[in-house]
Amino acid sequence: MMHLADLPDSIPLFPLPGALLLPRARLPLHIFEPRYLAMLDDTLKTPHRLIGMVQPLETGGNTTPKLHDIGCAGRVTQFSETDDGRYMITLSGVSRFRMQREISGFTPYIKAGVQWNEFEADLGNSDEDPGFDREIFLSLLSRYFQAAGLSTDWESLKEADNELLINSLSMLCPFEPEEKQALLEASGLTERRETLSALMEFTALAGPADEVIQ
């Protein structure tokens, strides 16, 4: 577990639409673009090994994409290299951050100055959701999966604690990038669960997509 004083003033950013990382959750990533291979090499040389996941803003043009101000930093906790030089890594979510400015330099990837103060609670123990009704939530989840053509390991979901269940579904369900951003910016687990439930209610009208949530 990191403390606020351990967090750096700047981190590399990995803009990836639809890829959501949350504190205390894990995100597997496949790194293959040269600029992000360079980013990973540089990150592994730092004591904190942090990479900031951030959603690009939808600008609708060919201009350089702007980024949301709020992202989540994860520590590289696992990595393996393939025979052709690609990496499979796992980021373990540490804390959300607010981007202050992009840092100009000679790196092929984006670096940014960030501040962490408003998300200090991310560094603590698991968040709580006192109003969470697991039976009602799982009933909604079943209807959502059935309508959207999704499947999953129900036994694993039933055994997961509240935070792991809500955060994992927020990360894995195929919501739009702006919807993922709303889940990221939720003030706490209760607001995230309420947002997630609203999205599932809305997207339950979609037709089967034959996708699998693992």
Side-chain angles (χ1 to χ4, degrees), residues 50-78:
L50 292 178
I51 293 174
M53 298 300 300
V54 63
Q55 295 288 320
L57 282 162
E58 297 179 358
T59 57
N62 295 322
T63 58
T64 301
K66 295 183 179 179
L67 305 176
H68 276 282
D69 291 337
I70 295 175
C72 184
R75 179 178 171 88
V76 179
T77 51
Q78 292 182 336

Side-chain angles (χ1 to χ4, degrees), residues 142-150 174-176 179 198-211:
S142 177
R143 290 189 286 110
Y144 165 72
F145 276 13
Q146 184 175 9
L150 301 171
F175 300 127
E176 295 298 319
E179 295 169 336
L199 290 171
M200 291 195 298
E201 287 278 12
F202 181 78
T203 56
L205 298 176
D210 297 326
E211 297 188 43

Side-chain angles (χ1 to χ4, degrees), residues 27-180:
L27 177 67
L29 290 170
H30 178 201
I31 308 293
F32 57 89
E33 288 188 46
R35 56 181 166 169
Y36 295 125
L37 291 172
M39 177 189 70
L40 180 60
D41 286 341
D42 291 345
T43 299
L44 293 175
K45 298 173 185 175
T46 67
H48 52 75
R49 300 205 306 271
L50 292 178
I51 293 174
M53 298 300 300
V54 63
Q55 295 288 320
L57 282 162
E58 297 179 358
T59 57
N62 295 322
T63 58
T64 301
K66 295 183 179 179
L67 305 176
H68 276 282
D69 291 337
I70 295 175
C72 184
R75 179 178 171 88
V76 179
T77 51
Q78 292 182 336
F79 69 95
S80 60
E81 186 176 6
T82 63
D83 292 339
D84 57 359
R86 294 174 290 119
Y87 282 93
M88 304 298 293
I89 72 170
T90 298
L91 291 184
S92 296
V94 172
S95 173
R96 289 170 292 176
F97 60 84
R98 185 177 293 275
M99 184 169 64
Q100 300 295 294
R101 69 197 185 285
E102 290 190 21
I103 298 174
S104 301
F106 298 101
T107 61
Y109 53 87
I110 301 171
K111 291 187 69 175
V114 298
Q115 66 91 2
W116 313 88
N117 294 342
E118 62 188 286
F119 305 110
E120 188 171 4
D122 289 353
L123 300 171
N125 296 321
S126 297
D127 200 356
E128 300 294 335
D129 181 5
F132 182 64
D133 188 315
R134 180 174 285 257
E135 184 175 347
I136 291 176
F137 183 82
L138 289 178
S139 176
L140 169 60
L141 184 62
S142 177
R143 290 189 286 110
Y144 165 72
F145 276 13
Q146 184 175 9
L150 301 171
S151 62
T152 190
D153 180 355
W154 281 101
E155 291 305 315
S156 295
L157 288 181
K158 291 176 181 177
E159 293 174 2
D161 66 38
N162 294 348
E163 184 182 58
L164 178 60
L165 175 64
I166 293 167
N167 285 351
S168 296
L169 289 169
S170 297
M171 292 170 59
L172 292 171
C173 286
F175 300 127
E176 295 298 319
E178 292 302 313
E179 295 169 336
K180 296 273 191 175

